[in-house]
Amino acid sequence: MRFRFALTQDRAGDGETKMSATTWWQRATGYQVYPRSFCDANGDGVGDIPGLISKLDHLADLGIGFIWLSPVYASPMADNGYDISDYEAIAPEFGTMADMERLIAEAKARGIGIVMDLVVNHTSDEHAWFKSARGSLVDAKRDYYVWRDPDSDGGPPDETQSLFGGPAWTLDPVTGQYYLHLFDRKQPDLNWENPALRAEIWAMMNRWFDRGTAGFRMDVIDLIGKDIDAGIIADGPRLHEYIREMHRETLRGRDVVTVGEAWSARPDNALLYTGRDRGELSMVFQFSHVVEGWDAEFGKWRARPRDLVALKRVFNAWQAALADDGWNSLFWSNHDLPRAVSKYGDDSAEWRVRSAKALATVLHLMKGTPYVYQGEEIGMTNMAFSRVEEFDDVEIRNNYPVQTGRGLSEDEFLAGANANGRDNARTPMQWEAGEGAGFTVGTPWLPINPNYRAINVAADRSDPEGVFAHYKSLISLRNRLDIISQGRFVPLAEDHPAVWAYARELAGERLTMVANLTSAPVGFDLPPEGTVAGRCIAATAGPRDGLEGRIELAPWEAVAVLGSVRPT
Ligand code: GLC
Ligand code: CA
């Protein structure tokens, strides 16, 4: 399989694709599509695969190398597709398997790979396996799931809590045992200790590769090795054994990209997933920078102001940890997170465009594979929900009674869900200024952000200084310049409260990036390790051909200069 960014592969005799300066997904930028909210081709208010196909030219023009496609499989949609009832059928609201095959082919024709979402920590309770398993204690599929007898008082076997709030155990009346669900009760956890289950998953993955899939994004993969009786949820004792088995059985010898979603990954264990000799995954997708911004007591549900120095520390630590081995994902946003410009930038009319571009500059010139979440490329913003009942998301709905029960006031919960809740990212894509925003001619499943008349793809793309043009340029730079994909990362002025700065170095060249991440002008003394003179490759407030000493930065000014390393 050849993608836009496929260059030479460094293959050893064993057929392993080794991490090398030329691996295509190290130069590529990913783009996440949340299909329900991307483009609705048939007017039922729900985005679908034909709608996505109709927008592939937008993505090809942006220059992305692959699409991470959130789940499109058959599902009762308790968690919008992260509850799968058949891994090899497409949800009718999204289309058919023929549509899926056409999507893979049409994307490939544009040099874009389709990366499927692999959700195998759990299935839907409507999956055939679970329907069979719950029928009797001796059912052949019983052991595909995690069952325990009730506690002596008839309650759940232990205190494990669901990540969506409330107990992680639900009593199944048919057999009188509880089943485990780390997410919603409609998402029973699979029992990875069962080898027959693992074999079914490998076979399913291989069939998706046969259909031309370019890789997998692996949902909460750090949870599959859980040892529930020992109270270990993430990073369980057999986690890496399972991933290595997966690699042997499905990934080995294939030129694909694999992305492990791992909320528990840290700089000191990420190499277990992505070290070049581990035989596991291409990269981790971890959330240290997200969690850094959460409240110690109420997590994401109590909004906290951005702490720029803490944020920089997290990114710098990761850049250092994976400097010589392993690979990271770079992202501000996804379908579980708020909109980048609202969370980290300034989404006021005055600074929205420039701050969105500054944030992109900071992220896209680091080492790692950047991900653009749909709408980010035009600076889409959070939506202001005015009442808790307006949210659709199962995580928000399940957490509302739990968090208010723990002492968070109703107003605080609403503020937290508005600041950090998942529905922000899930409002429909804003394509045009007309009714339905070009997303649908029907009634959208979730309201369209009312700012779509001003903020939409058509308007932004017609502006040469718009957000899209800036993303397109950054994506193309990464594809062309080794110093961005491979250069050594040098953090600068980590403790500065307003400015984000770093240098990249490779083969006698230096790339220095400096960004004012506030809405006020600021003076900045660039440390000598950042001094550079040469060519401006990215700028949000006018070009500069050198960076040295004292620099006066305009609000949200980001600038990157590429030149030779000058003796200091
Ligand atoms: C991942 C997904 C999220 C989903 C959860 C359960 O975190 O990104 O959307 O709800 O796993 O599958
Ligand atoms: Ca539709």
Side-chain angles (χ1 to χ4, degrees), residues 34 37 80 335-336 373 393 422-428 445-446:
Y34 195 68
S37 304
N80 290 351
H335 68 295
D336 295 329
Y373 180 69
D393 176 28
R422 309 197 300 180
D423 278 343
N424 285 305
R426 300 177 179 189
T427 62
W445 72 275
L446 192 67

Side-chain angles (χ1 to χ4, degrees), residues 273-286:
Y273 296 90
T274 72
R276 70 169 68 82
D277 296 323
R278 290 284 301 174
E280 295 197 13
L281 305 178
S282 309
M283 66 186 92
V284 284
F285 195 99
Q286 52 75 29

Side-chain angles (χ1 to χ4, degrees), residues 1 14 31 53 87 91 105 121 176 184 197 270 431 434 509 517 524 554:
M1 183 175 311
D14 59 1
Y31 184 97
I53 295 172
Y87 291 103
N121 174 70
D184 190 64
L197 166 76
W431 295 101
E509 280 198 310
L517 290 196
F524 174 62

Side-chain angles (χ1 to χ4, degrees), residues 2-5 24 60 63-66 106-113:
R2 292 241 134 221
F3 298 108
R4 178 195 303 267
F5 298 100
W24 66 271
I64 57 143
F66 61 95
E106 294 262 351
K108 191 172 177 185
R110 291 166 176 80
I112 297 172

Side-chain angles (χ1 to χ4, degrees), residues 352-539:
R352 182 185 63 84
V353 168
R354 200 193 282 178
S355 70
K357 288 158 68 174
L359 288 167
T361 311
V362 167
L363 193 78
H364 283 242
L365 299 180
M366 288 189 209
K367 190 168 186 175
T369 296
Y371 288 77
V372 180
Y373 180 69
Q374 65 184 40
E376 185 186 326
E377 78 278 25
I378 59 160
M380 275 177 61
T381 68
N382 277 358
M383 161 119 166
F385 292 84
S386 46
R387 295 185 355 229
V388 171
E389 299 75 51
E390 289 172 10
F391 292 105
D392 174 86
D393 176 28
V394 61
E395 185 191 38
I396 298 178
R397 283 190 274 109
N398 288 6
N399 263 286
Y400 173 59
V402 175
Q403 303 303 338
T404 49
R406 294 175 63 219
L408 201 64
S409 75
E410 181 141 353
D411 284 352
E412 280 179 303
F413 184 84
L414 181 62
N418 265 311
N420 295 321
R422 309 197 300 180
D423 278 343
N424 285 305
R426 300 177 179 189
T427 62
M429 185 73 183
Q430 296 163 207
W431 295 101
E432 293 163 13
E435 197 63 36
F439 165 71
T440 185
V441 295
T443 306
W445 72 275
L446 192 67
I448 299 171
N449 192 318
N451 66 19
Y452 75 92
R453 296 206 185 261
I455 304 173
N456 58 69
V457 171
D460 187 82
R461 287 192 57 154
S462 68
D463 177 1
E465 302 290 311
V467 184
F468 180 89
H470 193 76
Y471 269 84
K472 177 173 173 164
S473 161
L474 290 169
I475 290 168
S476 151
L477 285 168
R478 166 170 299 268
N479 184 30
R480 286 181 284 119
L481 299 179
D482 284 347
I483 195 169
I484 297 175
S485 55
Q486 302 298 330
R488 191 167 79 89
F489 180 88
V490 184
L492 300 170
E494 185 177 72
D495 294 330
H496 196 288
V499 174
W500 199 316
Y502 55 79
R504 307 291 308 278
E505 290 179 0
L506 186 73
E509 280 198 310
R510 174 176 290 159
L511 167 59
T512 300
M513 191 295 307
V514 172
N516 174 6
L517 290 196
T518 71
S519 303
V522 65
F524 174 62
D525 294 307
L526 180 69
E529 308 92 89
T531 299
V532 67
R535 176 164 71 93
C536 190
I537 60 166

Side-chain angles (χ1 to χ4, degrees), residues 40-42 44 46-48 93:
D40 170 24
N42 67 354
D44 66 355
V46 175
D48 43 49
E93 60 206 290

